[in-house]
Amino acid sequence: MLMQPGFPDDTPVPAERRRAWQAFFEAHAAVVPALEAEMEAEHGLTLRWYDVLLHLAAAPGTKLPMHELSDAVVITKGGLTKLVDRMAGAGLVARAAVPGNRRVTLVKLTPHGLETYRRARLTHHRGVAQHFLDHLSDHERAVLEAALVRVRDAARPRRPDVSPAS
Amino acid sequence: MLMQPGFPDDTPVPAERRRAWQAFFEAHAAVVPALEAEMEAEHGLTLRWYDVLLHLAAAPGTKLPMHELSDAVVITKGGLTKLVDRMAGAGLVARAAVPGNRRVTLVKLTPHGLETYRRARLTHHRGVAQHFLDHLSDHERAVLEAALVRVRDAARPRRPDVSPAS
DNA sequence: TAAGATTGACCGATCAATCTTG
DNA sequence: CAAGATTGATCGGTCAATCTTA
């Protein structure tokens, strides 16, 4: 989707350059659903749920305030409220209050959530290797990482918060 | 999302390899929303709508049967029915019957749809250059394309139709 | 009977509005 | 009032069931 398989084009030279974008876009469209399907089949998790478990597992005390978690997994606050509802219903996470502050709600990994994450991580790592890394030479991998980090940093939405100085 | 920023990891060596995947994933997550936002701002189109216009513009007679279009833009048939409803409501496409066959419905680009596509394409090409291609050297672009075509072909869902032989 | 398209139930997201608390 | 979280309306998708036609 979103790419010309080789259609007539008003701008013949740029078209050749754009094949790199096409490969990039289509590789993503091919690999991510594969990872998603494996995660679903082996653990009954969407990639989104896995992502939540990942960030909580990595957080100090395996817990995070709602607004930080929504930032980490790139979802709106409203969306996260409902997502946490569902995951709590599944016993993977639980809400907790923070003592001194009654505004924030913490989301904490349950033991079951942590164990689920540990098992799901194997599936994810295997999938990434199998569907992506194993098809790249060491040189390609190095080039790709360097180039795409540059692309990512250039395009990344800037935090509209404090100015970089000060 | 979906990546460890640098968290403790049980498998230190693979973690380094996986940074390439991280860069790939995050670059996609950074660039695609940028393209989407520009398309929305300048033409009021989602990437999905643009994709439909693209495939119809490239098709012979600027028209395609529903089932072929659903395949091209990677959406279910039910999803396409409603998508075409909306786009027809916006005057970008129109349904048409095929003379000899009353089962298939053709989707045809309207003049307005074609003109919209032509203008939107400039935005898309500019965005791809600006957010992606311009950050790559010629060498990187070549390596990236070759590698990611391989990844894409390995992971791509096989057509469960006729066998490749015959 | 199978292919093509549509419909309806559902699901998970966004967005704007609201409630509560610092 | 601003920050944090929740709620309700809406949107666009999937999936399964249905209708029509080759």
Side-chain angles (χ1 to χ4, degrees), chain B residues 15-83:
Chain B
E16 196 225 325
R17 283 184 85 219
R18 249 177 284 121
R19 288 187 312 168
W21 166 255
Q22 176 176 354
F24 174 79
F25 189 88
E26 295 184 351
H28 186 277
V31 171
V32 169
L35 298 177
E36 182 100 51
E38 291 168 0
M39 187 60 73
E40 175 66 40
E42 297 181 21
H43 305 282
L45 298 177
T46 65
L47 244 30
R48 184 133 245 166
W49 284 37
Y50 176 75
D51 201 20
V52 169
L53 298 182
L54 167 73
H55 279 92
L56 290 178
T62 67
K63 56 177 171 297
L64 241 27
M66 291 290 286
H67 70 277
E68 284 188 32
L69 185 55
S70 78
D71 197 61
V73 302
V74 189
I75 193 177
T76 59
K77 296 193 191 308
L80 183 62
T81 293
K82 297 158 188 171
L83 175 55

Side-chain angles (χ1 to χ4, degrees), chain A residues 2 10 51 121 135 150, chain B residues 2 10 51 121 135 150:
Chain A
L2 255 184
D10 298 343
D51 200 21
R121 187 174 50 180
H135 301 282
R150 213 179 311 125
Chain B
L2 255 184
D10 297 342
D51 201 20
R121 187 175 52 180
H135 302 281
R150 213 179 310 126

Side-chain angles (χ1 to χ4, degrees), chain B residues 12 25 36 41 46 70 74 82 85 88 97 99 108 120 125 132 135-136 138 143 145 152 154 160-162:
Chain B
F25 189 88
E36 182 100 51
T46 65
S70 78
V74 189
K82 297 158 188 171
D85 286 347
K108 176 144 182 28
H125 289 178
F132 188 77
H135 302 281
L136 272 39
D138 285 358
V143 168
E145 176 182 338
R152 185 245 291 157
D161 269 333
V162 278

Side-chain angles (χ1 to χ4, degrees), chain B residues 88-158:
Chain B
L92 296 169
V93 303
R95 284 187 171 83
V98 38
N101 190 336
R102 308 214 306 177
R103 263 204 306 205
V104 319
T105 305
L106 292 179
V107 187
K108 176 144 182 28
L109 217 47
T110 63
H112 176 234
L114 182 56
E115 182 51 32
T116 298
Y117 165 64
R118 289 223 170 94
R119 287 191 283 104
R121 187 175 52 180
L122 299 178
T123 296
H124 185 65
H125 289 178
R126 176 172 45 70
V128 167
Q130 186 171 315
H131 298 301
F132 188 77
L133 296 173
D134 289 353
H135 302 281
L136 272 39
S137 71
D138 285 358
H139 174 247
E140 286 172 333
R141 185 158 45 72
V143 168
L144 208 130
E145 176 182 338
L148 292 182
V149 162
R150 213 179 310 126
V151 166
R152 185 245 291 157
D153 290 345
R156 212 160 216 186
R158 308 263 160 255

